[in-house]
Amino acid sequence: MRLTSFTDYGLRMLMLMASAPERAYSTAELADAFGLSRNHLAKIMQSLSRGGLIETRRGGGGGAVLARPASEIRLGAVVQHLEQGQALVECFAGDGGNCTIHAQCRLKARLRSAETAFLSDLDRSTLADIALEPIAQTE
Amino acid sequence: MRLTSFTDYGLRMLMLMASAPERAYSTAELADAFGLSRNHLAKIMQSLSRGGLIETRRGGGGGAVLARPASEIRLGAVVQHLEQGQALVECFAGDGGNCTIHAQCRLKARLRSAETAFLSDLDRSTLADIALEPIAQTE
DNA sequence: CGCTAATAGGTGCTGTAAATGCGAATTGAA
DNA sequence: TTCAATTCGCATTTACAGCACCTATTAGCG
């Protein structure tokens, strides 16, 4: 059972943004804070932006800001958005996969139920609950 | 959010074995039923065997049989065993990964909780609940 | 007020690493 | 001697990370 690194990194970015919701974080700053590639994070940022979770501004002084208060952004929703297109098992994919059971499969429903349980449990928390302390700007 | 195909196939194998617990299924038969590679399934079968979920017998008339009644094998336990070694996120891995947050990360606990919720939900069902009808041997 | 330069998000491509799937050869039981 | 699990090792696929470049916006200067 695995989440993509895409999701992992996206969560870290949001955690940091939630720490100081009033200011804009640039991808360069986030990449620096986490020791990751700037361009890579830019892709994730774009996904978050399209998902309506953050708002971005170009140009000097630009960057990304949470679109809503951190306390209104539920973790399950975030994960669900970032994991878009990731099928839990083959037969959950768009084309249904090549499973030969299919018709009489009673497992599918149980997996969906479990998936929902996973997301619901995450939805009990919001970004405000996991916000980081602002990174030390001592230098 | 994804389970490995390893787990997916393992579940399918168990579903079929649960349909006729008295007989032994060979990897060849299972591979044929699902249209998958025999050698590949053999690896999964071995894992199931080491996990104590099935018992195997070599030689003529051999194959695999459930180690316990289907109604006593919980799905969460099966998934947990087959997904062994799959870290939900980087920092769940053995070496802890390269996450820079780490110390003050409050996300980790929520993810663990959600993971448990996922498995607990699956544990509400047993193999008996998802057993397949025996495959039609009409041809 | 307009031009310019610097900032910062957005996108496509490519190399690399790891997971996956498969085949062949081996070992053990009947 | 045949059947079938077991083990080893290779090929393929996929996801990941990084690089280079493009576009848009802002700030500052003339």
Side-chain angles (χ1 to χ4, degrees):
Chain A
M1 184 171 174
R2 258 176 54 205
L3 300 180
T4 62
S5 67
F6 198 82
T7 301
D8 191 0
Y9 297 163
L11 284 169
R12 294 186 204 175
M13 292 165 75
L14 290 172
M15 285 166 81
L16 188 49
M17 288 191 236
S19 71
E22 70 284 0
R23 56 178 289 243
Y25 284 91
S26 72
T27 53
E29 183 176 3
L30 293 169
D32 202 52
F34 298 131
L36 299 169
S37 152
R38 189 187 78 76
N39 296 283
H40 203 221
L41 294 194
K43 285 177 196 167
I44 300 170
M45 188 175 271
Q46 189 216 349
S47 169
L48 290 171
S49 170
R50 290 197 186 169
L53 294 166
I54 62 174
E55 283 172 5
T56 59
R57 246 184 68 191
R58 296 188 171 196
V65 180
L66 295 184
R68 285 170 289 153
S71 59
E72 292 179 16
I73 302 182
R74 308 212 157 267
L75 297 191
V78 174
V79 170
Q80 187 165 31
H81 174 258
L82 288 168
E83 287 285 309
Q84 225 168 28
Q86 292 294 326
L88 185 65
V89 288
E90 181 186 355
C91 60
F92 280 23
D95 61 355
N98 291 335
C99 184
T100 56
I101 303 173
H102 227 59
Q104 62 156 154
C105 180
R106 286 182 289 182
L107 172 60
K108 222 166 154 171
R110 324 259 161 175
L111 286 176
R112 283 215 191 279
S113 162
E115 193 176 21
T116 302
F118 179 84
L119 293 173
S120 298
D121 191 87
L122 280 179
D123 270 340
R124 287 167 40 204
S125 309
T126 70
L127 267 190
D129 297 320
I130 62 165
L132 292 176
E133 301 303 314
I135 37 176
Q137 300 280 14
T138 47
E139 45 184 343
Chain B
M1 185 171 170
R2 258 176 55 206
L3 300 180
T4 62
S5 67
F6 198 83
T7 301
D8 192 1
Y9 297 163
L11 284 168
R12 295 186 203 175
M13 292 165 75
L14 290 172
M15 284 166 81
L16 187 50
M17 287 190 237
S19 72
E22 70 283 2
R23 58 179 288 245
Y25 284 91
S26 73
T27 53
E29 181 175 6
L30 293 168
D32 203 51
F34 299 131
L36 299 169
S37 154
R38 189 184 77 76
N39 295 286
H40 198 220
L41 294 194
K43 277 185 198 167
I44 301 171
M45 187 174 271
Q46 189 215 351
S47 169
L48 290 171
S49 170
R50 291 199 185 167
L53 294 165
I54 62 174
E55 282 172 6
T56 59
R57 248 184 64 193
R58 296 187 170 194
V65 181
L66 294 183
R68 285 170 289 153
S71 60
E72 293 179 16
I73 301 182
R74 308 212 157 266
L75 297 191
V78 174
V79 169
Q80 188 165 30
H81 174 257
L82 288 169
E83 287 285 308
Q84 223 167 30
Q86 291 294 326
L88 185 64
V89 286
E90 181 187 355
C91 60
F92 280 23
D95 61 355
N98 290 334
C99 184
T100 56
I101 302 174
H102 228 59
Q104 61 156 155
C105 183
R106 286 182 287 180
L107 173 60
K108 221 165 154 172
R110 324 260 160 173
L111 286 175
R112 281 216 191 279
S113 162
E115 193 176 22
T116 303
F118 179 86
L119 293 173
S120 299
D121 191 88
L122 281 178
D123 269 340
R124 286 166 42 203
S125 309
T126 70
L127 266 191
D129 297 318
I130 62 165
L132 293 176
E133 302 304 314
I135 37 176
Q137 301 281 14
T138 47
E139 46 184 342

